[in-house]
Amino acid sequence: DAGITQSPRHKVTETGTPVTLRCHQTENHRYMYWYRQDPGHGLRLIHYSYGVKDTDKGEVSDGYSVSRSKTEDFLLTLESATSSQTSVYFCAISVGTSGRLATQYFGPGTRLTVL
Amino acid sequence: QKEVEQNSGPLSVPEGAIASLNCTYSDRGSQSFFWYRQYSGKSPELIMFIYSNGDKEDGRFTAQLNKASQYVSLLIRDSQPSDSATYLCAVVNAGGTSYGKLTFGQGTILTVHP
């Protein structure tokens, strides 16, 4: 357990509504990541953060935005949810960026269903 | 071509056998390699980390890395039904502004039957 929590754990929403997922960590790690996981695609990086207010896009960032105003919180927002964003979302942290320090530890996940 | 590819699976082995999971990667700048295990409905958990060519053993698990061939594998000896899970290979390019981003393969489903 790397002290990572995600909220909500499950959410059902309707197409067109905004949705915000929260990732909270208790160990002041600098690097945080948001992934989505879909059958046949493994884990795909949505956005990542390398410090407070420092974020960048991953490979599947369209339709998503993030914010990190505090070290411990990394928020993922779907501005206008679509059915294609139905997925399981995982947050991860790492201590560093190379070698063993690049090991990522994952939160429990959020299952999002967009109707 | 996908950056990280794993043998498609699913892979089914009898209890007590050796399970062999394979992964190839395309980025020659990849420096560190990870194997994660993911049980159904759970989050991925780290099994092995390797960065040097050769073998690395941890209990029943052995990771093998061949950078020249851009190949990394995971062997599970004396497979148990509790090893049944999806295994994810991940690589990181630690250079420049990679910020520790991992690239994952699509995963291989392993079933160990009694």
Side-chain angles (χ1 to χ4, degrees):
Chain A
D1 182 359
I4 307 170
T5 57
Q6 292 184 233
S7 58
R9 294 292 314 280
H10 301 273
K11 187 170 181 66
V12 179
T13 191
E14 294 189 350
T15 298
T17 60
V19 176
T20 295
L21 309 183
R22 180 187 185 225
C23 177
H24 178 77
Q25 55 134 334
T26 59
E27 299 181 5
N28 290 321
H29 294 302
R30 178 180 175 187
Y31 302 95
M32 299 184 75
Y33 311 84
W34 274 109
Y35 293 91
R36 61 178 290 174
Q37 187 172 37
D38 306 288
H41 289 279
L43 285 157
R44 294 183 291 175
L45 182 66
I46 306 172
H47 280 278
Y48 62 99
S49 171
Y50 46 95
V52 173
K53 292 185 168 52
D54 292 323
T55 65
D56 206 348
K57 297 178 180 180
E59 65 175 300
V60 290
S61 60
D62 287 348
Y64 301 95
S65 62
V66 290
S67 65
R68 193 169 178 200
S69 59
K70 298 184 291 185
T71 299
E72 59 266 35
D73 289 326
F74 192 29
L75 304 180
L76 176 71
T77 297
L78 291 66
E79 302 290 349
S80 178
T82 68
S83 58
S84 64
Q85 294 176 310
T86 292
S87 187
V88 179
Y89 292 85
F90 288 102
C91 173
I93 61 93
S94 69
V95 175
T97 61
S98 64
R100 179 176 291 278
L101 297 180
T103 301
Q104 290 187 15
Y105 298 92
F106 289 83
T110 294
R111 184 173 296 276
L112 176 67
T113 302
V114 183
L115 301 176
Chain B
Q1 181 186 0
K2 293 183 180 178
E3 294 184 34
V4 178
E5 292 207 47
Q6 298 184 234
N7 45 339
S8 56
L11 179 64
S12 181
V13 300
E15 184 174 357
I18 295 175
S20 177
L21 303 161
N22 304 315
C23 176
T24 59
Y25 59 95
S26 60
D27 183 359
R28 285 198 172 272
S30 298
Q31 298 185 355
S32 300
F33 307 85
F34 306 85
W35 282 101
Y36 286 84
R37 176 177 62 198
Q38 186 176 26
Y39 292 115
S40 180
K42 301 295 185 182
S43 56
E45 57 179 331
L46 181 73
I47 301 175
M48 294 284 289
F49 155 77
I50 187 168
Y51 64 92
S52 297
N53 277 325
D55 295 359
K56 179 181 179 182
E57 188 174 315
D58 183 1
R60 296 185 296 111
F61 299 97
T62 299
Q64 299 175 317
L65 176 60
N66 183 325
K67 290 186 178 181
S69 299
Q70 296 176 244
Y71 176 93
V72 58
S73 66
L74 179 71
L75 300 178
I76 306 174
R77 292 182 301 281
D78 189 23
S79 295
Q80 302 296 309
S82 59
D83 295 325
S84 298
T86 298
Y87 289 80
L88 299 165
C89 171
V91 306
V92 64
N93 183 328
T97 57
S98 71
Y99 295 112
K101 290 180 289 184
L102 294 183
T103 302
F104 285 84
Q106 75 275 27
T108 299
I109 298 172
L110 171 67
T111 301
V112 181
H113 53 88

Coordinates of all heavy atoms in Angstrom, one line a residue, chain A residues 29 31 33 93-105, chain B residues 31-36 45-52 55-58 63 67 90-94 99-102:
Chain A
H29 N 5.0 12.2 -2.7 CA 5.7 11.8 -3.9 C 5.5 12.8 -5.0 O 4.4 13.4 -5.2 CB 5.3 10.4 -4.4 CG 5.6 9.3 -3.5 ND1 6.9 9.0 -3.0 CD2 4.8 8.4 -2.8 CE1 6.8 8.0 -2.2 NE2 5.6 7.7 -2.1
Y31 N 5.9 12.5 -8.4 CA 5.4 12.1 -9.7 C 4.0 11.4 -9.5 O 3.9 10.4 -8.8 CB 6.4 11.2 -10.4 CG 7.7 11.9 -10.6 CD1 8.7 11.7 -9.7 CD2 7.9 12.8 -11.7 CE1 9.9 12.4 -9.9 CE2 9.1 13.5 -11.9 CZ 10.1 13.3 -10.9 OH 11.3 13.9 -11.1
Y33 N 0.4 9.9 -11.9 CA 0.0 9.5 -13.2 C -1.5 9.1 -13.2 O -1.9 8.5 -12.2 CB 0.9 8.4 -13.7 CG 2.4 8.6 -13.6 CD1 3.0 8.3 -12.4 CD2 3.1 9.0 -14.6 CE1 4.4 8.4 -12.2 CE2 4.5 9.2 -14.5 CZ 5.1 8.9 -13.3 OH 6.5 9.1 -13.1
I93 N 1.7 6.6 -8.5 CA 2.8 7.5 -8.1 C 4.1 6.8 -8.3 O 4.2 5.6 -8.3 CB 2.6 7.9 -6.6 CG1 2.7 6.6 -5.7 CG2 1.3 8.6 -6.4 CD1 4.1 6.3 -5.1
S94 N 5.2 7.6 -8.4 CA 6.5 7.0 -8.3 C 7.4 8.0 -7.5 O 7.1 9.2 -7.4 CB 7.1 6.8 -9.7 OG 7.4 8.1 -10.4
V95 N 8.5 7.4 -7.0 CA 9.4 8.2 -6.2 C 10.3 9.0 -7.1 O 10.7 10.1 -6.7 CB 10.2 7.2 -5.3 CG1 11.2 8.0 -4.5 CG2 9.3 6.5 -4.3
G96 N 10.7 8.4 -8.2 CA 11.6 9.0 -9.1 C 11.3 8.6 -10.5 O 10.3 8.2 -10.8
T97 N 12.3 8.9 -11.4 CA 12.1 8.6 -12.8 C 13.0 7.7 -13.5 O 12.9 7.4 -14.7 CB 12.2 10.0 -13.6 OG1 13.5 10.5 -13.4 CG2 11.1 11.0 -13.1
S98 N 14.0 7.1 -12.7 CA 14.9 6.2 -13.3 C 15.2 5.0 -12.4 O 15.0 5.1 -11.2 CB 16.2 6.9 -13.7 OG 16.9 7.3 -12.5
G99 N 15.6 3.9 -13.0 CA 15.9 2.7 -12.2 C 14.7 2.3 -11.4 O 13.6 2.4 -11.8
R100 N 15.1 1.7 -10.2 CA 14.1 1.2 -9.3 C 13.1 2.4 -8.9 O 12.0 2.1 -8.6 CB 14.7 0.6 -8.1 CG 13.7 0.0 -7.1 CD 14.4 -0.7 -6.0 NE 15.0 -1.9 -6.4 CZ 14.4 -3.1 -6.5 NH1 13.1 -3.1 -6.3 NH2 15.0 -4.1 -6.9
L101 N 13.6 3.6 -8.8 CA 12.8 4.7 -8.4 C 11.6 5.0 -9.3 O 10.7 5.6 -8.9 CB 13.6 6.0 -8.3 CG 14.8 5.9 -7.2 CD1 15.5 7.3 -7.2 CD2 14.2 5.7 -5.8
A102 N 11.7 4.5 -10.5 CA 10.6 4.7 -11.5 C 9.5 3.7 -11.3 O 8.5 3.8 -12.0 CB 11.2 4.6 -12.9
T103 N 9.6 2.8 -10.3 CA 8.6 1.9 -10.1 C 7.3 2.6 -9.7 O 7.3 3.5 -8.9 CB 8.9 1.0 -8.9 OG1 10.1 0.2 -9.2 CG2 7.8 0.0 -8.5
Q104 N 6.2 2.3 -10.4 CA 5.0 3.0 -10.1 C 4.1 2.1 -9.2 O 4.0 0.9 -9.4 CB 4.2 3.3 -11.4 CG 5.0 4.4 -12.2 CD 4.2 4.9 -13.4 OE1 3.0 4.7 -13.5 NE2 4.9 5.6 -14.2
Y105 N 3.4 2.7 -8.3 CA 2.5 2.1 -7.4 C 1.1 2.6 -7.6 O 0.9 3.8 -7.7 CB 2.9 2.3 -5.9 CG 4.3 1.7 -5.6 CD1 5.4 2.5 -5.8 CD2 4.5 0.4 -5.3 CE1 6.7 2.0 -5.5 CE2 5.7 -0.1 -5.1 CZ 6.8 0.7 -5.2 OH 8.1 0.1 -5.0
Chain B
Q31 N 15.3 1.7 -20.4 CA 16.4 1.4 -19.4 C 16.0 0.5 -18.3 O 16.8 -0.2 -17.7 CB 17.0 2.7 -18.9 CG 17.6 3.6 -20.0 CD 18.2 4.8 -19.4 OE1 18.1 5.1 -18.2 NE2 18.9 5.6 -20.2
S32 N 14.7 0.6 -17.9 CA 14.2 -0.2 -16.8 C 13.0 -1.0 -17.2 O 12.2 -0.4 -18.0 CB 14.0 0.7 -15.6 OG 15.1 1.3 -15.2
F33 N 12.8 -2.2 -16.6 CA 11.7 -3.0 -17.1 C 11.0 -3.6 -15.8 O 11.7 -4.0 -14.9 CB 12.3 -4.1 -17.9 CG 13.2 -3.6 -19.1 CD1 14.5 -3.3 -18.9 CD2 12.6 -3.3 -20.3 CE1 15.3 -2.7 -19.9 CE2 13.3 -2.8 -21.3 CZ 14.7 -2.5 -21.1
F34 N 9.7 -3.7 -15.9 CA 8.9 -4.1 -14.8 C 7.9 -5.1 -15.2 O 7.4 -5.1 -16.3 CB 8.1 -2.8 -14.3 CG 9.0 -1.7 -13.9 CD1 9.4 -0.8 -14.9 CD2 9.4 -1.5 -12.6 CE1 10.2 0.3 -14.6 CE2 10.2 -0.4 -12.3 CZ 10.6 0.5 -13.3
W35 N 7.7 -6.0 -14.3 CA 6.6 -7.0 -14.4 C 5.6 -6.7 -13.3 O 5.9 -6.7 -12.1 CB 7.0 -8.4 -14.4 CG 7.7 -8.9 -15.7 CD1 9.0 -9.0 -15.9 CD2 7.0 -9.3 -16.8 NE1 9.2 -9.4 -17.2 CE2 7.9 -9.7 -17.8 CE3 5.6 -9.4 -17.2 CZ2 7.6 -10.1 -19.1 CZ3 5.3 -9.9 -18.4 CH2 6.3 -10.2 -19.4
Y36 N 4.3 -6.5 -13.7 CA 3.2 -6.3 -12.7 C 2.3 -7.5 -12.9 O 2.0 -8.1 -13.9 CB 2.5 -5.0 -13.0 CG 3.2 -3.8 -12.6 CD1 4.1 -3.2 -13.5 CD2 2.9 -3.2 -11.4 CE1 4.7 -2.0 -13.1 CE2 3.5 -2.0 -11.0 CZ 4.5 -1.4 -11.9 OH 5.1 -0.2 -11.5
E45 N 0.1 -4.8 -9.3 CA 1.1 -4.8 -8.2 C 2.4 -5.3 -8.8 O 2.5 -6.2 -9.6 CB 0.7 -5.7 -7.1 CG 0.4 -7.1 -7.4 CD 0.0 -8.0 -6.3 OE1 0.4 -7.7 -5.1 OE2 -0.8 -9.0 -6.5
L46 N 3.5 -4.7 -8.3 CA 4.8 -5.0 -8.9 C 5.3 -6.4 -8.4 O 5.2 -6.7 -7.3 CB 5.8 -4.0 -8.4 CG 7.3 -4.1 -8.9 CD1 7.4 -3.8 -10.4 CD2 8.3 -3.3 -8.1
I47 N 5.8 -7.2 -9.4 CA 6.4 -8.4 -9.1 C 7.9 -8.3 -9.2 O 8.7 -8.7 -8.3 CB 6.0 -9.5 -10.0 CG1 4.5 -9.7 -10.0 CG2 6.7 -10.9 -9.7 CD1 4.0 -10.7 -11.1
M48 N 8.4 -7.8 -10.3 CA 9.9 -7.8 -10.5 C 10.3 -6.5 -11.3 O 9.5 -6.0 -12.0 CB 10.3 -9.0 -11.4 CG 10.1 -10.4 -10.9 SD 11.4 -10.8 -9.6 CE 12.8 -11.0 -10.7
F49 N 11.5 -6.1 -11.0 CA 12.1 -5.0 -11.7 C 13.5 -5.5 -12.1 O 14.2 -6.1 -11.4 CB 12.2 -3.8 -10.7 CG 13.3 -2.9 -11.0 CD1 13.1 -1.9 -12.0 CD2 14.5 -2.9 -10.3 CE1 14.1 -1.0 -12.3 CE2 15.5 -2.0 -10.6 CZ 15.3 -1.1 -11.6
I50 N 13.9 -5.1 -13.4 CA 15.2 -5.5 -13.9 C 15.7 -4.4 -14.8 O 14.9 -3.8 -15.5 CB 15.1 -6.9 -14.6 CG1 16.5 -7.4 -15.0 CG2 14.2 -6.8 -15.8 CD1 16.5 -8.8 -15.4
Y51 N 17.0 -4.2 -14.7 CA 17.6 -3.2 -15.6 C 18.9 -3.6 -16.2 O 19.5 -3.0 -17.1 CB 17.8 -1.8 -14.9 CG 18.8 -1.9 -13.7 CD1 20.1 -1.6 -13.9 CD2 18.4 -2.2 -12.5 CE1 21.0 -1.7 -12.9 CE2 19.3 -2.3 -11.4 CZ 20.6 -2.0 -11.6 OH 21.5 -2.1 -10.6
S52 N 19.5 -4.7 -15.7 CA 20.7 -5.3 -16.3 C 20.5 -6.5 -17.1 O 19.6 -7.3 -16.8 CB 21.7 -5.6 -15.2 OG 22.1 -4.5 -14.5
D55 N 19.7 -12.6 -15.9 CA 18.6 -13.1 -15.1 C 18.6 -12.5 -13.7 O 19.6 -12.2 -13.1 CB 18.7 -14.6 -14.9 CG 18.6 -15.4 -16.2 OD1 18.4 -14.7 -17.2 OD2 18.7 -16.6 -16.2
K56 N 17.4 -12.3 -13.2 CA 17.2 -11.9 -11.8 C 16.1 -12.7 -11.2 O 15.0 -12.9 -11.7 CB 16.8 -10.4 -11.8 CG 16.6 -9.8 -10.4 CD 16.1 -8.4 -10.4 CE 15.9 -7.8 -9.1 NZ 15.4 -6.4 -9.1
E57 N 16.5 -13.3 -10.1 CA 15.6 -14.3 -9.4 C 15.0 -13.7 -8.1 O 15.8 -13.1 -7.3 CB 16.3 -15.6 -9.2 CG 15.5 -16.7 -8.7 CD 16.3 -18.0 -8.6 OE1 17.0 -18.3 -9.5 OE2 16.1 -18.7 -7.5
D58 N 13.8 -14.0 -7.9 CA 13.1 -13.6 -6.6 C 12.1 -14.7 -6.3 O 11.0 -14.7 -6.8 CB 12.5 -12.2 -6.7 CG 11.9 -11.8 -5.4 OD1 12.0 -12.5 -4.4 OD2 11.3 -10.7 -5.3
A63 N 13.1 -13.0 -13.8 CA 13.1 -12.1 -14.9 C 14.3 -12.2 -15.7 O 15.4 -12.3 -15.2 CB 12.9 -10.6 -14.4
K67 N 18.9 -6.9 -23.8 CA 18.7 -5.6 -24.4 C 19.1 -5.6 -25.9 O 18.5 -4.9 -26.7 CB 19.5 -4.5 -23.7 CG 19.0 -4.2 -22.3 CD 19.8 -3.0 -21.7 CE 19.2 -2.6 -20.3 NZ 20.0 -1.5 -19.7
A90 N 6.1 -3.6 -18.5 CA 6.2 -2.2 -18.6 C 7.7 -1.8 -18.8 O 8.5 -2.4 -18.1 CB 5.6 -1.5 -17.4
V91 N 7.9 -0.8 -19.6 CA 9.3 -0.3 -19.7 C 9.3 1.2 -19.5 O 8.3 1.9 -19.7 CB 9.8 -0.6 -21.1 CG1 9.7 -2.1 -21.4 CG2 9.1 0.1 -22.2
V92 N 10.5 1.8 -19.1 CA 10.6 3.2 -19.0 C 11.9 3.6 -19.7 O 12.9 2.9 -19.6 CB 10.6 3.6 -17.5 CG1 11.8 3.0 -16.8 CG2 10.6 5.1 -17.3
N93 N 11.8 4.7 -20.4 CA 13.0 5.4 -20.9 C 13.3 6.5 -20.0 O 12.6 7.5 -19.8 CB 12.6 6.0 -22.3 CG 13.8 6.6 -23.0 OD1 14.7 7.1 -22.3 ND2 13.9 6.5 -24.3
A94 N 14.4 6.3 -19.3 CA 14.8 7.3 -18.2 C 15.5 8.5 -18.7 O 15.9 9.3 -17.9 CB 15.6 6.5 -17.2
Y99 N 10.1 11.7 -17.5 CA 9.4 11.9 -16.3 C 8.9 10.5 -15.8 O 7.8 10.4 -15.2 CB 8.2 12.8 -16.4 CG 8.7 14.2 -16.7 CD1 8.5 14.9 -17.9 CD2 9.3 15.0 -15.7 CE1 8.9 16.2 -18.1 CE2 9.8 16.2 -15.9 CZ 9.6 16.8 -17.1 OH 10.0 18.1 -17.3
G100 N 9.7 9.5 -16.0 CA 9.3 8.2 -15.5 C 8.1 7.5 -16.1 O 7.5 6.6 -15.5
K101 N 7.7 8.0 -17.3 CA 6.5 7.4 -17.9 C 6.7 6.0 -18.3 O 7.7 5.7 -18.9 CB 6.1 8.2 -19.1 CG 5.6 9.6 -18.8 CD 5.2 10.4 -20.1 CE 6.4 10.7 -20.9 NZ 6.1 11.5 -22.1
L102 N 5.8 5.1 -17.8 CA 5.9 3.7 -18.2 C 5.0 3.5 -19.4 O 4.0 4.0 -19.6 CB 5.4 2.8 -17.1 CG 6.2 2.8 -15.8 CD1 5.5 1.8 -14.8 CD2 7.6 2.4 -16.0

